Each structure stands twice: as structure tokens, then as C-alpha cells.
Amino acid sequence: MPCFLRGKIKLLAASLAFMVLLTWLYLIVWNLESGRSLLLSPCLVDQSELGYLERDVLMSRMRKVEEENQQLRAQLRQSQGMAHVQEGNYGNQQWVVSADTGTEDGENTAEERVNGTDCERRPMVEKCEVIHVACVCAGHNASRDVVTLVKSILFHRRNPLHFHFITDAVAHQILSSLFASWMVPSVLVSFYDADDLKSEVSWIPNKHYSGIYGLMKLTLTKALPTDLTKVIVLDTDITFATDIAELWAVFRKFTDKQVIGLVENQSDWYLGNLWKNHKPWPALGRGFNTGVILLLLERLRGIGWEQMWRLTAERELMSMLSTSLADQDIFNAFIKQNPVLVHQLPCFWNVQLSDHTRSEQCYTEVSDLKVIHWNSPKKLRVKNKHVEFFRNLYLTFLEYDGNLLRRELFGCPSQPSPESVPLQAALEELDEDDQCYDFRRERITVHRMHLYFLQYDYSPTEDGSDVTLVAQLSMDRLQMLEAICKHWEGPISLALYMSDAEAQQFLRYAQSSELLKNRRNVGYHVVYKEGQFYPVNLLRNVALRHASTAYVFLADVDFLPMYGLYSYLRKSVLQLDMGHTKKALVVPAFETLRYRLSFPKSKAELLSMLDMGTLYTFRYHVWTKGHAPTNYAKWRTATTPYKVEWEPDFEPYVVVRRDCPEYDQRFVGFGWNKVSHVMELDAQEYDLVVLPNAFMIHMPHAPSFDISKFRSSPSYRSCLSVLKEEFHQDLSRKYGANALKYLTAERNI
């Protein structure tokens, strides 16, 4: 900065401070003489106590002093602006945009605080005004990222929200299921098919890792409803540290011509000095980052945005050949030609944590932070002076219990969602004095679900015989996953019952496993914890519904299938004409009490180990009835499949068509969860057929919490008996005479 400017700034600042001090001394003396106190807050002073004459004199003096102060401040700002322009000429190009560097709406200015004016300012966002947020999301990984973004917004928000997601088929399936099961009050969600927009941007060559989806923010004026006038557009790698309403309020600071709000890019990318022959797209100065955008859609449509950005892209692509930073390059080239249309946001609205940025200049204290943007491909591994603090903030929302965000907004009643209406009706029918209330309440609990938590990419075989292994587990059975994947090479559908924090532990475990991270045919569906019971049959149904093959092997995660079972079952499906007959193929179950087992490679080896006492038929010593109808004696010498009859408490592991009856979700925790399902298969006249050359082995583990409750709690066992009786009655109403044998058999036990 030139010396004469520094001197002038110092002189003006000193003059301003002196005038403020002199004004206050004068007013204090005047008030002491007149018996008035200036120390009273202007919010509390009763103006009627002042005489009209005294008030007029006071107001005249205050106006005169304030005019002098305003003149000094204007001169000071002008001098600082001249110095900033001289220091901010990047690439010999001077540019001017409207910069929003003031305080946020609802906060007092420093000037007001100095003058003792603590009156609450009128908020610029109405109490129940709906805030619209748009986001482009494609694929499994981005769907996980957007959940963390949404959590950070929900945590701070005090207004109703409407999320607009432009998604591919994968993200639509994941997010629609997630929000439907999350049921957050005062939150609406709309989805728009990204495939319908691909033709708008597919002609643009793009080197950015985001691919074609990184260009779709350019199409929002076309994608979003025509009656939507403004929207906040966010990348999926954003974390909010404040109420999003503060950002929404910035729209009111736009001038009549401004249509886009952006934060300056905090790296040197657009300066073109990162490496030799580095040639970025044209931009004003440092350019702007498009991770956070404020769009006045109505105005954009009015100026012909769609045509304008296309012409800009076509012109620049003649020399640039492709984009390097996707939509951001085109936005910047457009702004370069139309600087009057951009409203520059303070940089704390997009603190960019890529390598070598100037983000540290955006904040001096934690309270300064508004929005954190993990815009480096390295994400949490980015180099930054305060990265540990930012990482901990991100992890807080990553692992935060999303169930706690299901809170109503005071004074903003929301319309009940279609999912919540029958739930509320069912809740009202429950009797809280019922000794089995907790069991009945669990049956209608809606658990938040995140389908396909990890990458899934599998297409069933063309012959129609493909089989998916279906199972459920919690964190204490996680160690079984690798072993199962070694034994079963086919597709797997797993429902995992976890908290938000446990889901992240699982993610780290799966990504660090060489075996698991390379499997793309395992669908992991996270069902988030809620309530006091383990919802075993809900989990089984979630895994069953999302199997991608025509046939399913209904197993438990603590069993290891024999080597080659996947191929054997596919052949059996065809040989036994499963597609045209109702059959449930029984896979005989065995168990070992040894944690280290030399797994048998054939039926002959298994029989030998059975004779030596290394293996046993499953639960023969504690629950013989569960698998006795399999007829293990016949199985030893069988060479062809054989049919067995249903018997009370029979609970085999079976292969059935995917359209089989679902599990009854009234049974939670331990007891009758598989028994009831096999009973309904029999009621629907499925033939139970035992496979002669198939087997599975149960591996030892510590008892579950639910079996401990069953053994120790008489009320638990009593409620289970009540649920069994109700199930029998429902079965009789559903299947008539075919179900009478189950009730008779139960009473004869």
C-alpha cells in the first residue's frame, strides 16, 4: 500500500475515534446537568418522560453528530477501497462486484453495540418461511455424503425445509427410502431424474471427477419447478455450522440486477500460476467457487440463463476444449462477461478446505465459521492448519443420531406425511397399561433406513436360477462377514442393525478389508437403532425385499455355508422346477463348539466329523424340535432330495422364491421369529424338500442380549406366549381351515 494512503487512513481513523469520544463526553455532561441518564437502554427508556422541547434539542444534536460520523466513515471506506483495489489486481485485471461483507440479518452491527443499542433487530427470514435447498446427488458414495450435509442443516435449522434432489436411479432409491423412514417434521423432499437432464450437458467435455453430474447445476432453471423463485444450491461435501436461514436471508441483500450469489475461490487456480503452461478458464480475479450458490431462479429465467450459459460454454470450448472444474468453469466464464449479475458472499459462507487455499483468512474464531466445504479429492485427509478442528466437526454430524433430529418446529405446524398417518392411528390404539405394550410398540416403530450403504453393482444370471443369501446382523457379528464372503461367492443381501456411529465403524472396517472392499455383489442395508428390542424380523424383511435375484437363501449370519453351496443351489433350483412349483429347499444345519474348525470340504468329511464328535446336528442338545423334522438319519445316506412334513417349532434354513411371505414383525428379539415364518410357508402349501448334498455349520459366539432377556424375564416369556396366540388367530383368519392344525398342534404340546 502507498505510504500516503496509509497516513491518510490513520488520520481518518484517529479523527473518527476522537469525534465519537467528544460526542459522548458532550452528551454525558448535558444529561448530568439535566438530570437524565444516558445509561438506560434505548429499548427501556420511556420517551414520554422527556419534554418535547428537550427531545427535539437532543435529536437535533444527535443528527448533527451522526452526519459528521457518517462523513468520516465514508472517507475511511473510500480510502480503504482504493488500497484494496491496488492490492487486489490479479493478472492486471481490475474488477468490481457487489460484495456482502456486512453482518448477518438478526445480528447487531459493531457500531450499534458500541453505542449501546442492544435492541433485537427484526429477522429477515419469517418464522415459518420455507427454505429451499437443491443438490445434485448420484451414486452410493454421494448418497452417504448428502446425509451428513442434511444432518448439519437439520441440527441448526429453525425453519421448514424443502430439499430438491437431482439424482440418478441409485441415489433416488437410497434417499427416497431414507427420508420416508426418517419422517422429519417440516421437511419436504422432491426428486428430479438426472437422466432427463443429461442431454442438456452431455455435449460438454469434462475432466472433473464428478463427471456429467458435475455439470447439472447449470440446468436448475429447467429442472426445478417454474414457480420456485429462489434456491440455495449445495455440493454434497458441505457441512453447515450455523442456521441455513442466515444464508437464505442474504437473498434480500441482492441488488435489482444480481441473480447469483457466490463466494470467491480461495485457491490460486484461476490465477493460472499453479504450474507451467497452466491455462484455466477465464474468471474475474480469483474466480468463484460453486460449492455454495444462491440462485434467483425467476430472474435467471427472465434474462435467458439457459441460452446465455450455453453460448458462453460454446465460445470458451473452442479454445479450452474441455472443462477442468465442471460447472464452476462455465459459471466463472459467464460472470467474467456479466460481473454486474453476481453478488459476492463473505468467504465464511464457503470455507474451502482444498490444499493450498486462503481459507484461514475467512475466520479468526470458531464463531466465524458458517459453512465448511471439503472440496479436495482428499476430503478429510486434506492439508490445513486447522484440519483437526474441521474434521472433528464433520465427524460429529457424521456419527450424530439422526433420530434426535425428528423434532417439531415450535409455532410451525407441519402437515402429516402419508407415512405418519397410519402410524399415528396405530399408536392411538395401543394401551399403555398392557403388560406387552413395549412389544406391540416395537412392531409399529418406523426405523430409519439407509439402503445400499456401500457400492452395489450386480446383475442376476440370465438363466433365472440366481440365488441371494439373505441375513441380518448387528455390530457383535461383524467378524463373520469376511468368512461368509469366502464361503459364498454369489450375491448377498444383509440388513445391519446399527447406530449412526456404529455404521461409520462398519464403513471403516469394510473399506479396510481387502476382501470386502472388492465385493460389489453384497448389498449392505443399514437399519438404525431405535427402541429396546432387536427387530430381527424387520431386518430379515429389509434384506429380503432388496435381494436382486429371483431366489433367496434365508440364512443367519453366524452360519457358514459349505464351499460350493451357491453353485449347488442354482442347479437345484432348475432341477426341482422352482419357478413353477411352491417349494422350500431345506439346507441341513450343523454346529461346532470350537472357535477354530477345519471346515469340511464335502459331505463325507462332515459325516466323519459328526461321528467323531467334532460336529453336531444344530441345537440337538437344547432345542431338538427346531431341526429334528429334517431327519438327519435319512440325510446321511440320501442321494436325492426328499420331502418332509411340517412339525411344531420347525425352523429350518430354506431356499425359496423371493416373492415368498415376509416374516411376521410382531416377533422381536428371541423366540418364534423363524418358526412363525416356516408355519406360514406351510399354510401357503409350500413343499419342504431337504437337499441331500447341502449343509451349513453354525459357528460359536457369545449369547445375544435378547436370549438372555428371554431366559431371565418371566414377563418376556409371558408376552411371547400372548404374541404366539395372536399369531395363530391371525393365521386362522387368513388361511381358514388350512391353519387349524397349527392351533391344535400347539395345544397338544
Side-chain angles (χ1 to χ4, degrees):
M1 181 187 299
C3 293
F4 77 91
L5 281 177
R6 291 197 186 96
K8 190 173 182 180
I9 290 173
K10 290 181 180 178
L11 177 60
L12 288 171
S15 300
L16 177 62
F18 178 76
M19 287 298 296
V20 172
L21 179 61
L22 186 62
T23 301
W24 277 102
L25 287 173
Y26 180 87
L27 291 174
I28 289 173
V29 171
W30 184 86
N31 275 275
L32 288 174
E33 290 176 351
S34 61
R36 303 294 181 183
S37 174
L38 193 65
L39 299 179
L40 289 176
S41 168
C43 302
L44 303 177
V45 170
D46 185 357
Q47 297 295 333
S48 64
E49 293 180 4
L50 294 173
Y52 289 108
L53 181 60
E54 291 177 335
R55 183 174 61 187
D56 291 342
V57 173
L58 177 60
M59 294 300 294
S60 177
R61 290 173 179 170
M62 289 291 291
R63 279 195 298 270
K64 183 177 180 180
V65 172
E66 182 59 23
E67 288 173 0
E68 294 174 353
N69 289 345
Q70 287 178 356
Q71 291 176 2
L72 285 171
R73 283 195 294 270
Q75 294 177 22
L76 182 60
R77 283 196 299 269
Q78 185 178 7
S79 298
Q80 289 175 328
M82 291 172 59
H84 176 72
V85 168
Q86 290 191 15
E87 288 185 337
N89 290 342
Y90 298 112
N92 296 322
Q93 297 196 21
Q94 299 184 13
W95 54 276
V96 178
V97 294
S98 174
D100 173 14
T101 56
T103 58
E104 297 308 313
D105 297 302
E107 297 178 1
N108 290 333
T109 63
E111 185 181 334
E112 290 168 330
R113 290 193 293 269
V114 169
N115 290 335
T117 304
D118 293 326
C119 302
E120 183 178 355
R121 297 179 65 188
R122 183 178 69 85
M124 296 298 289
V125 177
E126 297 299 328
K127 181 178 178 63
C128 295
E129 182 178 351
V130 179
I131 296 173
H132 293 267
V133 181
C135 189
V136 178
C137 182
H140 302 83
N141 295 339
S143 299
R144 283 201 312 274
D145 293 339
V146 85
V147 173
T148 308
L149 162 63
V150 170
K151 281 184 181 179
S152 70
I153 294 174
L154 293 177
F155 181 84
H156 297 287
R157 65 108 179 208
R158 288 176 290 181
N159 282 71
L161 298 169
H162 190 157
F163 290 100
H164 302 264
F165 292 110
I166 292 86
T167 60
D168 66 350
V170 170
H172 180 260
Q173 181 183 17
I174 295 171
L175 295 179
S176 60
S177 171
L178 175 70
F179 279 98
S181 59
W182 203 344
M183 295 195 301
V184 183
S186 300
V187 170
L188 294 176
V189 184
S190 298
F191 292 94
Y192 310 87
D193 192 350
D195 287 344
D196 296 338
L197 303 170
K198 285 183 177 179
S199 61
E200 301 291 321
V201 293
S202 59
W203 57 274
I204 304 174
N206 179 27
K207 294 180 180 178
H208 194 257
Y209 62 83
S210 59
I212 193 172
Y213 298 100
L215 297 163
M216 288 197 173
K217 283 183 282 187
L218 296 165
T219 70
L220 290 179
T221 53
K222 180 176 182 179
L224 299 179
T226 55
D227 59 349
L228 182 59
T229 60
K230 57 186 176 181
V231 68
I232 296 173
V233 186
L234 303 172
D235 280 356
T236 59
D237 53 1
I238 291 288
T239 304
F240 267 76
T242 192
D243 189 349
I244 196 172
E246 294 180 33
L247 181 58
W248 187 256
V250 177
F251 275 117
R252 305 200 180 192
K253 298 184 178 182
F254 278 39
T255 66
D256 291 341
K257 294 184 178 180
Q258 292 170 345
V259 296
I260 302 174
L262 292 164
V263 171
E264 184 183 50
N265 200 44
Q266 292 157 21
S267 75
D268 293 341
W269 177 270
Y270 287 107
L271 300 183
N273 58 10
L274 294 183
W275 59 80
K276 186 178 180 180
N277 298 326
H278 174 215
K279 185 184 177 183
W281 275 55
L284 286 175
R286 309 190 71 87
F288 293 92
N289 183 277
T290 56
V292 177
I293 314 176
L294 271 61
L295 292 182
L296 282 175
L297 298 171
E298 191 173 35
R299 291 186 189 175
L300 282 167
R301 295 183 183 112
I303 65 172
W305 163 252
E306 292 181 31
Q307 183 179 9
M308 292 177 75
W309 75 256
R310 281 175 176 274
L311 291 174
T312 300
E314 289 171 356
R315 181 181 63 249
E316 299 301 333
L317 284 170
M318 293 178 67
S319 58
M320 300 303 299
L321 303 182
S322 68
T323 61
S324 295
L325 299 182
D327 65 85
Q328 184 168 300
D329 285 337
I330 299 174
F331 270 105
N332 274 288
F334 170 81
I335 292 169
K336 172 84 170 179
Q337 299 295 320
N338 305 276
V340 71
L341 299 179
V342 69
H343 180 92
Q344 184 175 342
L345 304 174
C347 66
F348 51 63
W349 282 119
N350 185 352
V351 179
Q352 300 150 38
L353 296 185
S354 56
D355 290 337
H356 312 300
T357 68
R358 305 160 72 242
S359 59
E360 295 172 18
Q361 299 180 22
C362 296
Y363 56 90
T364 56
E365 299 179 3
V366 174
S367 59
D368 296 333
L369 293 170
K370 303 288 187 181
V371 174
I372 300 166
H373 186 188
W374 302 89
N375 62 319
S376 167
K378 298 179 182 179
K379 301 305 178 187
L380 299 187
R381 295 177 285 106
V382 70
K383 295 179 181 178
N384 183 280
K385 182 178 179 181
H386 304 109
V387 69
E388 280 302 317
F389 171 80
F390 294 123
R391 187 182 292 119
N392 289 335
L393 180 64
Y394 175 81
L395 292 175
T396 297
F397 290 115
L398 189 71
E399 300 184 354
Y400 189 81
D401 185 353
N403 297 329
L404 300 179
L405 298 170
R406 288 169 164 167
R407 57 174 184 260
E408 291 280 356
L409 295 179
F410 290 111
C412 295
S414 60
Q415 293 295 324
S417 65
E419 296 84 6
S420 65
V421 173
L423 172 63
Q424 187 60 39
L427 281 172
E428 292 173 357
E429 292 179 0
L430 295 182
D431 180 6
E432 294 189 18
D433 295 329
D434 182 357
Q435 65 169 347
C436 301
Y437 171 82
D438 291 335
F439 284 85
R440 304 190 194 283
R441 177 68 178 82
E442 178 61 39
R443 184 183 181 183
I444 61 175
T445 296
V446 178
H447 290 263
R448 189 166 40 103
M449 290 185 291
H450 188 132
L451 304 177
Y452 299 102
F453 197 68
L454 296 181
Q455 188 82 22
Y456 182 80
D457 184 16
Y458 183 76
S459 298
T461 57
E462 294 182 359
D463 63 2
S465 66
D466 217 344
V467 182
T468 297
L469 187 151
V470 171
Q472 43 72 37
L473 70 152
S474 54
M475 202 67 182
D476 58 345
R477 299 288 188 269
L478 202 59
Q479 74 282 356
M480 291 296 299
L481 288 184
E482 286 190 337
I484 286 180
C485 286
K486 290 178 181 177
H487 282 249
W488 179 273
E489 65 272 25
I492 303 175
S493 181
L494 296 173
L496 302 92
Y497 192 57
M498 296 177 169
S499 66
D500 292 74
E502 288 174 340
Q504 296 308 313
Q505 294 177 37
F506 158 71
L507 177 62
R508 291 190 289 271
Y509 168 75
Q511 291 178 337
S512 63
S513 167
E514 290 296 326
L515 178 62
L516 298 183
K517 72 180 181 182
N518 292 320
R519 287 286 293 263
R520 291 288 181 266
N521 62 348
V522 182
Y524 300 99
H525 313 296
V526 175
V527 178
Y528 289 101
K529 286 184 175 179
E530 186 173 2
Q532 59 175 306
F533 295 105
Y534 184 78
V536 58
N537 278 358
L538 165 67
L539 297 173
R540 287 186 171 123
N541 286 337
V542 169
L544 174 60
R545 291 168 197 157
H546 296 99
S548 58
T549 59
Y551 302 96
V552 288
F553 174 30
L554 305 178
D556 276 340
V557 76
D558 43 10
F559 278 85
L560 292 181
M562 73 175 197
Y563 290 111
L565 182 60
Y566 171 60
S567 299
Y568 177 71
L569 292 182
R570 287 180 55 195
K571 294 176 182 177
S572 300
V573 162
L574 295 176
Q575 291 172 355
L576 297 172
D577 194 22
M578 291 275 288
H580 301 94
T581 58
K582 280 189 172 183
K583 290 188 177 70
L585 308 184
V586 177
V587 178
F590 300 85
E591 69 175 324
T592 179
L593 303 180
R594 301 182 181 183
Y595 283 88
R596 295 186 176 223
L597 175 71
S598 177
F599 201 90
K601 295 181 177 58
S602 64
K603 179 178 179 178
E605 279 190 38
L606 181 136
L607 292 174
S608 176
M609 297 172 73
L610 201 61
D611 293 337
M612 291 188 297
T614 307
L615 294 177
Y616 308 90
T617 56
F618 185 55
R619 292 291 185 259
Y620 85 100
H621 54 299
V622 292
W623 186 244
T624 307
K625 294 187 295 182
H627 292 267
T630 301
N631 195 344
Y632 287 100
K634 183 173 183 177
W635 183 82
R636 293 178 69 102
T637 57
T639 57
T640 58
Y642 59 92
K643 183 179 176 181
V644 295
E645 296 298 325
W646 173 87
E647 294 181 21
D649 297 321
F650 191 26
E651 51 178 1
Y653 295 97
V654 297
V655 178
V656 290
R657 291 202 308 255
R658 188 183 56 189
D659 61 359
C660 70
E662 291 192 346
Y663 290 84
D664 194 297
Q665 292 179 195
R666 83 185 78 200
F667 296 106
V668 295
F670 178 81
W672 251 61
N673 44 72
K674 290 195 302 294
V675 170
S676 57
H677 187 245
V678 173
M679 189 179 295
E680 186 153 10
L681 289 177
D682 185 68
Q684 290 197 10
E685 299 181 341
Y686 276 73
D687 289 334
L688 299 170
V689 179
V690 180
L691 297 175
N693 294 306
F695 62 84
M696 58 197 302
I697 300 177
H698 179 265
M699 306 305 292
H701 56 75
S704 67
F705 178 65
D706 290 288
I707 195 171
S708 299
K709 285 196 295 186
F710 173 81
R711 292 170 177 170
S712 62
S713 172
S715 63
Y716 189 107
R717 296 192 296 273
S718 173
C719 284
L720 182 58
S721 297
V722 171
L723 296 179
K724 287 164 61 176
E725 180 65 25
E726 292 175 355
F727 174 76
H728 278 127
Q729 295 173 4
D730 290 344
L731 212 61
S732 297
R733 283 191 289 269
K734 190 173 182 180
Y735 297 106
N738 287 347
L740 292 178
K741 66 175 182 179
Y742 309 118
L743 189 58
T744 304
E746 185 70 19
R747 290 173 177 170
N748 290 337
I749 293 178

